[in-house]
C-alpha cells in the first residue's frame, strides 16, 4: 500500500498567525490553466512565487492586470507576490523547488537552454502527458536528459481540475516522492483552506495513471457522443480502472491501491466532468467530427490525444490486454469508425 | 475473483430465427420503475412474462393501455405477452423463476399470503434495500422466513437505471448465483440487443454493495447540494469504493474485485447520474431541505434512506471504520447539520 496520509488544513480552526510559511523558494514553469492554478495555490502560503511564463506578452499582461490573459482569467493575483520571468535559468537559479506545469508537448522547449546548476533542486512534475520528442514519461525524461534522479523528483496528481481551484472548491492533491523530507516540505507549500494533500511513494504509477486517465476520458467522451448512456459509462469506467491496474502493474510493479484518489479519483473527475477537455474531445469525435476537426475546434491541448500513441505502443510491446486503449488508438490514429470500434469494444467489457 | 463472463448479444449479427427462446416460465413481482424495466427486458426473449402488480387499478391500466400508468410510462408492452395478476400465489405457481422487484419496504407485504409450493423455484432479488421488518438483506430474509436456500436464490445487480432500459440504451447486468445451471438459464431470459449479462457467485456481496451504493449516492448528493465540486466528488467516490470493500469484507468474505461493474459500476451510476433518486434526495438535503421535506418532495422511494440505519448498525457492531456511512447516518437520523458533518468528513478522506 502506498504511504498515505492527509494533513489537516493548517488554516482551518486556527489563527492565521500559527501558520508556518515555507522558507524555501518555489517556482512554476508554464502559463496554461493548471500552471495558473498551481501559482494560485502557492500564493496562499508563500511570500513570493516565482513564475516562468511563455513570453513577454504573458509576463507583461500578468504584471499589468494581475491575471493570466488567456487561462483562468478569473483568478486575480497580488502581483507583489509574483516574481515573473521568461528565462528558465533565472527561475531555476532562484528556486529550491521547480514545478513543471506546461503541456507535455511544450516541456522540451521550456527546458531548452537550461544551463544553471540544478543539482540540489527538486523538480515536481504536474504534467499529465508523454514528452513527444522522447516518447517517454516526464520522470524518465528528466532522469535521462538532465540526470535528475528520482530523489530530486516529485509528481503532483489530482483529481484537480484547474477551474475548480480557481473557484477555491475543496480539492485533494497527491504528492508522490521517494524522500519523506521532500514530501513534508511540499506539503507546507500546497496545503490551504481549499487544498488537502495526500502522500504517495509511487512516482511512476502516479505519472502513468495521470496519463492513462486522459485516454480513458477520451473514450468516455466518444461513448457519450455516440449516444451511450450513464449505465454504459459506469461499466466503461469500471473496466477502465481495471485496465489501468493491469497497465501500471505491467510498467512498474509497486504496492498500490488503484482506488486511491490519485488513480481512481483522477480518472473519475476526468471521465465525468464537463470541465474535462479530453472528454470533450472524445465527445466531438463520437458526435461525428473528424479527429482533426475536433482537435482544431478546441482552444486547449487534449493530452490524451498525444499520449494514446505512445501508451498503445507500450501496451503492445508488453503484450498487455488493453481493449479500451486499443479502441481509442484505432479511432484517433487509424481512422477507424468510432461507432464500429465501440460496438466491438462492448463485447469485451464486463 | 468472482466468476465472470459476458455472453454476446444473441441477436446481434445473427438472424432472429437462431435465437433460442427460454422454455421455462418467469415472472416479476412489483410495479415500480425497475420492475417495469425488467418486464421490458424479459418481453424481448419470452413468449409470456408473468407480472404480479400491486392492485387491480395498475393491472387494469396496463391491460387497457399497454403501459404502466405511473412508472416508465414511455414503455409500451405487447399485452398479449403479459400475464398480469395481483395474486402472488397465482404468479409463483405459474413460474419457475420469480424476480422480486418491489421497493424493499413493500417486499414483506408483497409476499404475505404466499402459500403455494415454491420448493423448486428460483427467487431472484432485484431489490436494493433492507427488509425493514427483519432489519436484514433480502437473501437472509428469504432464507429465514421462507426457507429458500441460496441454491434457489439469485441477485440481479446493475449498473442499470430503469430509465435507460426504457430507452434501450446498452446496459450490463450482473447475475449472482451459486448454481451455474441457474446462471445459464437466467442468461437466456435477460440477454438482448440492449442487455449484456455478467455472472458472479457473490450473492451477498452483490446484494450488500447494491444497498451501500445508495447510501454513498445520498452522500454524493449532499456534497453537491452543499456546493462541493467535481474534484471533491471524485475523492468522495474513490473513498466510498474503499469503504465499500471494507464493509463487504467485514460482512461476507469472498474473493471479489470491487472494481467490477456490479460494485464500482453500480456505485458510479448511482453517485453520478441525474436519474438517481438517492443522489437527488441527498442534493435536496445539501441545499438545506429538512430530511423529512426532502423525502416528501420525491415521488419514489430512496432506498438509501431506509438502508442507512441498518447498515450503520451493522458497521458499528462489527467495529468497522466507515466515516462516510457515519456522516450520512448522522445527517439522516440524528438531525446533524449536513455542512458541519461534511466539513468533519473531509478531514477523514484521503
Amino acid at each position: 500500500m502506498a504511504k498515505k496520509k492527509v494533513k489537516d488544513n493548517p488554516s482551518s480552526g486556527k489563527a492565521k498567525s500559527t501558520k508556518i510559511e515555507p522558507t524555501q523558494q518555489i517556482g512554476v514553469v508554464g502559463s496554461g490553466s493548471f500552471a495558473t492554478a498551481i501559482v494560485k495555490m502557492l500564493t496562499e502560503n508563500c511570500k513570493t512565487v516565482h513564475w516562468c511564463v511563455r513570453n513577454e506578452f504573458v509576463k507583461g499582461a500578468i504584471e499589468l492586470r494581475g491575471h493570466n490573459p488567456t487561462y483562468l482569467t478569473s483568478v486575480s493575483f497580488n502581483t507583489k507576490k509574483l516574481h515573473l520571468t521568461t528565462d528558465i535559468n533565472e527561475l531555476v537559479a532562484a528556486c529550491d523547488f521547480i514545478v513543471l506545469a506546461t503541456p507535455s508537448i511544450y516541456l522540451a522547449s521550456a527546458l531548452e537552454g537550461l544551463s544553471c546548476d540544478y543539482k540540489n533542486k527538486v523538480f515536481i512534475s504536474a504534467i499529465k502527458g508523454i514528452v513527444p520528442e522522447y516518447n517517454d514519461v516526464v520522470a524518465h525524461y528528466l532522469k535521462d536528459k538532465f540526470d535528475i534522479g528520482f530523489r530530486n523528483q516529485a509528481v503532483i496528481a489530482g483529481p484537480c481540475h484547474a477551474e475548480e481551484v480557481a473557484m477555491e472548491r475543496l480539492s485533494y492533491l497527491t504528492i508522490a516522492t521517494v524522500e519523506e523530507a521532500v514530501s513534508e516540505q511540499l506539503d507546507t507549500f500546497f496545503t490551504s483552506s481549499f487544498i488537502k494533500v495526500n502522500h504517495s511513494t509511487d512516482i511512476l504509477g502516479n505519472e502513468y495513471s495521470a496519463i492513462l486517465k486522459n485516454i480513458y476520458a477520451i473514450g468516455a467522451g466518444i461513448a457519450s457522443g455516440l449516444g451511450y448512456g450513464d449505465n454504459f459509462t459506469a461499466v466503461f469506467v469500471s473496466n477502465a480502472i481495471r485496465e489501468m491496474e493491469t497497465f501500471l502493474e505491467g510498467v512498474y510493479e509497486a504496492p498500490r491501491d488503484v482506488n486511491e484518489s490519485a488513480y481512481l479519483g483522477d480518472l473519475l473527475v476526468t471521465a465525468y466532468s464537463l470541465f474535462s477537455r479530453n472528454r470533450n474531445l472524445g465527445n466531438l469525435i463520437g458526435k461525428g467530427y473528424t479527429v482533426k476537426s475536433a482537435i482544431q475546434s478546441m482552444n486547449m491541448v487534449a493530452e490524451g490525444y498525444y499520449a494514446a500513441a505512445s501508451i498503445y505502443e507500450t501496451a503492445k510491446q508488453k503484450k498487455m490486454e488493453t481493449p479500451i486503449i486499443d479502441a481509442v488508438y484505432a479511432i484517433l490514429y487509424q481512422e477507424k469508425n468510432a461507432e464500429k470500434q465501440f460496438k466491438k469494444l462492448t463485447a469485451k467489457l464486463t
Side-chain angles (χ1 to χ4, degrees), chain A residues 54 69-72 103 106 277 284 293-302:
Chain A
R54 205 168 172 181
T70 317
Y71 299 104
L72 292 200
Y106 300 135
R277 64 198 77 163
L284 290 173
S293 63
I295 289 171
Q296 280 171 346
S297 76
M298 297 181 73
N299 184 28
M300 294 197 275
V301 176

Side-chain angles (χ1 to χ4, degrees), chain A residues 221-227 280-295 297 331 336-339:
Chain A
I222 293 172
S224 167
L226 287 170
N280 290 341
L281 174 66
N283 193 38
L284 290 173
I285 295 167
K287 283 189 188 307
Y289 283 65
T290 63
V291 175
K292 198 174 165 189
S293 63
I295 289 171
S297 76
I331 295 164
K336 296 283 171 133
N337 177 277
E339 193 175 346

